[in-house]
Amino acid sequence: MSLSPAYVEKLRLLNSQNAPPLRAVPVDLIRDTFRTMQPERPDVAVQSIHEMDIPANSISLPIRIYRPSSSDDLPVVLMFHGGGWVIGDLTTVDGQCRDVAVGSGAIIVAVDYRLAPEHRFPAAAEDCYAALKWTHDNIHSFGGDAKRIGVAGDSAGGNLAAVVAQMSRDRQGPNLRCQLLVYPVIDGTNFDTASYISNAEGYGLSRDDMVWFWDQYSDESDRRNPYASPILADSLSDLPPALVMTAEYDVLRDEGEAYGERLKIDGVDAETVRFDGFIHGFFAETKTIPETRRAMARACQMLRKYLGKS
């Protein structure tokens, strides 16, 4: 399918700027720019937002709790932001958290995990798992049901959601009801898939960008660890139901779809949905590109299905 007209125009503007490659820009500047590109979305109203620090791995880990209504015993979704493990924070994921909270009816716990290159693998993954344990033990104080928890994330956040699901299985809990993986980063050992080749440049996230992000996050020797590259796990059995969402014009398309297929082969209730005509980043663009709202609706439908009362 051809690129969506909205993305044709977006990419025309983006590519006309002739921005320098990521490796040539200071990390702090990249973070500031990303924060400007993905500002908070107060236009999407929720019942309350509570920001706090929680103890995790001998640090204070910032989180933000979005409550969509005043009801008690609400389901819960931990949301891990994208940004290649290097950029992104509670500001950049605010719009997604609000959209998912309203659309799914779930409390959202956004996690401001430690970033690379200051904190390399496995810091981000361990922070996100620690946040899951804290949420399980404490979310009742915010009207949440600890028996109905899911994980979600886009891009590097999708990687962390998949990893936390594996950690939860391998470490005997806390149990998860589902995992939402939006154009997830799945494999740090292969940059030569068909989607890496065909979408290497010109579609926002480039092949060189992903190589740079991986270089900031981990040593090559670490990338064979399934907590870095989830598809390399010996088995994906006994993981929670999954929805894997990919974009047609995205370097990460093929690895995400391969992970979805592996989940199914290993007996997991998993579905993979490719959004034709879209590029990487669509989950954060419901305000600027209305077509992407159908992807958000599909994600929230899945969460309602698996997080409903048993």
Side-chain angles (χ1 to χ4, degrees):
M1 179 177 173
S2 299
L3 267 172
S4 160
Y7 278 123
V8 171
E9 178 62 14
K10 177 184 175 73
L11 290 171
R12 184 188 68 79
L13 293 172
L14 183 66
N15 294 331
S16 69
Q17 295 173 5
N18 295 316
L22 288 180
R23 64 186 70 252
V25 181
V27 169
D28 286 345
L29 179 57
I30 300 171
R31 290 171 179 163
D32 289 344
T33 301
F34 190 56
R35 197 175 292 113
T36 300
M37 294 170 60
Q38 290 193 190
E40 294 183 341
R41 291 279 313 280
D43 55 297
V44 182
V46 294
Q47 194 268 338
S48 66
I49 298 175
H50 186 82
E51 199 160 331
M52 61 185 294
D53 291 347
I54 63 173
N57 303 316
S58 301
I59 64 166
S60 292
L61 182 65
I63 66 169
R64 189 181 286 177
I65 301 172
Y66 297 78
R67 189 168 177 175
S69 72
S70 58
S71 300
D72 289 328
D73 297 322
L74 292 171
V76 183
V77 177
L78 278 88
M79 182 77 74
F80 309 130
H81 67 78
W85 310 282
V86 175
I87 59 179
D89 55 26
L90 296 178
T91 292
T92 63
V93 78
D94 177 74
Q96 295 178 48
C97 292
R98 291 171 180 268
D99 276 340
V100 174
V102 171
S104 69
I107 291 173
I108 305 301
V109 180
V111 181
D112 199 7
Y113 55 85
R114 287 174 291 173
L115 297 177
E118 297 93 334
H119 305 282
R120 292 167 64 84
F121 173 84
E126 293 294 349
D127 287 354
C128 291
Y129 179 67
L132 170 61
K133 292 194 296 180
W134 181 93
T135 298
H136 177 268
D137 293 342
N138 295 277
I139 202 62
H140 63 278
S141 299
F142 300 89
D145 182 354
K147 295 180 180 178
R148 294 188 292 152
I149 299 179
V151 290
D154 72 309
S155 195
N159 168 280
L160 293 169
V163 167
V164 167
Q166 291 192 24
M167 288 177 163
S168 174
R169 176 198 62 182
D170 299 344
R171 300 175 181 181
Q172 288 74 55
N175 293 329
L176 294 171
R177 284 283 192 96
C178 58
Q179 51 181 324
L180 171 63
L181 313 179
V182 183
Y183 36 83
V185 186
I186 292 296
D187 188 354
T189 67
N190 184 4
F191 301 100
D192 295 312
T193 64
S195 62
Y196 259 114
I197 293 169
S198 62
N199 303 313
E201 294 182 2
Y203 295 101
L205 179 69
S206 71
R207 181 184 185 277
D208 286 347
D209 291 342
M210 275 311 310
V211 171
W212 182 82
F213 280 128
W214 272 109
D215 287 345
Q216 306 314 298
Y217 183 52
S218 67
D219 299 330
E220 288 191 18
S221 59
D222 286 328
R223 296 178 197 174
R224 300 208 64 81
N225 187 320
Y227 292 165
S229 298
I231 201 167
L232 300 184
D234 291 337
S235 172
L236 302 182
S237 62
D238 300 318
L239 290 173
L243 173 62
V244 183
M245 302 168 72
T246 65
E248 181 180 12
Y249 294 93
D250 182 5
V251 292
L252 301 177
R253 182 195 68 209
D254 289 355
E255 64 195 72
E257 293 176 2
Y259 193 66
E261 185 61 26
R262 270 283 315 276
L263 286 166
K264 290 172 64 176
I265 290 171
D266 285 0
V268 177
D269 183 3
E271 181 179 8
T272 302
V273 179
R274 178 190 295 185
F275 287 88
D276 290 333
F278 286 9
I279 66 172
H280 190 87
F282 65 76
F283 206 59
E285 296 177 324
T286 56
K287 181 177 182 179
T288 55
I289 300 182
E291 295 171 66
T292 65
R293 293 173 190 164
R294 60 188 174 91
M296 180 61 67
R298 181 68 187 81
C300 292
Q301 178 188 44
M302 175 272 212
L303 293 172
R304 290 194 304 270
K305 174 182 177 181
Y306 289 108
L307 294 174
K309 290 185 181 293
S310 56

